[in-house]
Amino acid sequence: MAKTAQSPRQTARVIPLRKGTTIEMTRLACPDQQQALLISESFGLPVLDGDGIRDLHERLIVETAASLQDGLGERAMQIHLQRIVGAYVGSAHGAGQFYSRAVTEARDATAKSACDARDEDVDGPVGFDGPAQRKREFAADMGVQAHALLMAAEGAVTAYEQVIGERWKPFERAAETTGPSVDRKAAAVQMAAFG
């Protein structure tokens, strides 16, 4: 029986990247200007100056970069601003996801309260809001907050492009290795000792 010679090839190791949160993902999660205005008007909440929030944060980042210009090199400035903008985008995205969950809970509670056969979902005593109304109001508050944070993130993204000269994109780091951990390797060696 002849043995075939195996070539000592090494297989290439593919390292998957952990995707960061983009501004586009954040825009999908948060209410836009029109929806935020509708929420504010429907629930009697303050109408936000979204353009003002965006412009203020854009100026804030640009002025911060200008003050650091002498102390940071070009690459250091890019890394610093990349992290700052990433924090703004991440915060807005998290608020947008929280808003989406609050809207889902408000819809569920409202649908349940519309069913006359359910006693546990009826409105509270006269003068007090029922659970469905409280959930709707909470979702509205979260929508206005998510919109405000989206405007701040958009201002930061615009400033990044203005200062660095290229479009901001989230940092993508290599995902943790999915190979066997040291504990698993040690366990395999120990089990092999038993025969």
Side-chain angles (χ1 to χ4, degrees), residues 6 11 36 66 76 78 81 91 108 148 152 163 168-169 172 174-176 185 190:
Q6 293 183 1
T11 57
Q78 182 180 13
L81 291 181
S91 177
D108 290 348
V163 172
W168 177 84
K169 58 184 181 226
E172 294 178 350
E176 287 76 27
K185 289 178 185 176
Q190 290 171 343

Side-chain angles (χ1 to χ4, degrees), residues 27-126:
R27 286 182 184 128
L28 291 173
C30 297
D32 61 12
Q33 184 75 33
Q34 189 62 34
Q35 188 177 12
L37 179 63
L38 184 61
I39 290 170
S40 292
E41 290 174 348
S42 298
F43 287 89
L45 298 172
V47 176
L48 296 180
D49 177 14
D51 293 335
I53 294 170
R54 183 177 40 245
D55 293 344
L56 176 70
H57 283 82
E58 180 181 346
R59 282 193 318 272
L60 174 72
I61 300 295
V62 169
E63 290 174 11
T64 299
S67 71
L68 292 171
Q69 190 171 8
D70 292 337
L72 296 180
E74 188 176 313
R75 182 69 179 139
M77 178 70 76
Q78 182 180 13
I79 292 169
H80 176 67
L81 291 181
Q82 204 284 330
R83 290 174 176 159
I84 289 174
V85 174
Y88 275 100
V89 172
S91 177
H93 187 258
Q97 290 178 318
F98 192 78
Y99 161 70
S100 296
R101 285 190 297 273
V103 168
T104 299
E105 289 177 11
R107 283 188 178 133
D108 290 348
T110 301
K112 287 177 184 176
S113 69
C115 179
D116 292 331
R118 294 179 58 98
D119 289 336
E120 64 268 14
D121 294 319
V122 296
D123 287 338
V126 174

Side-chain angles (χ1 to χ4, degrees), residues 13-14 16 175-181 184:
R13 187 169 168 203
V14 177
E176 287 76 27
T177 58
T178 57
S181 66
R184 278 194 174 167

Side-chain angles (χ1 to χ4, degrees), residues 158-182:
T158 302
Y160 180 89
E161 189 170 348
Q162 184 179 338
V163 172
I164 302 300
E166 62 185 51
R167 185 169 162 74
W168 177 84
K169 58 184 181 226
F171 177 74
E172 294 178 350
R173 72 182 114 194
E176 287 76 27
T177 58
T178 57
S181 66
V182 173

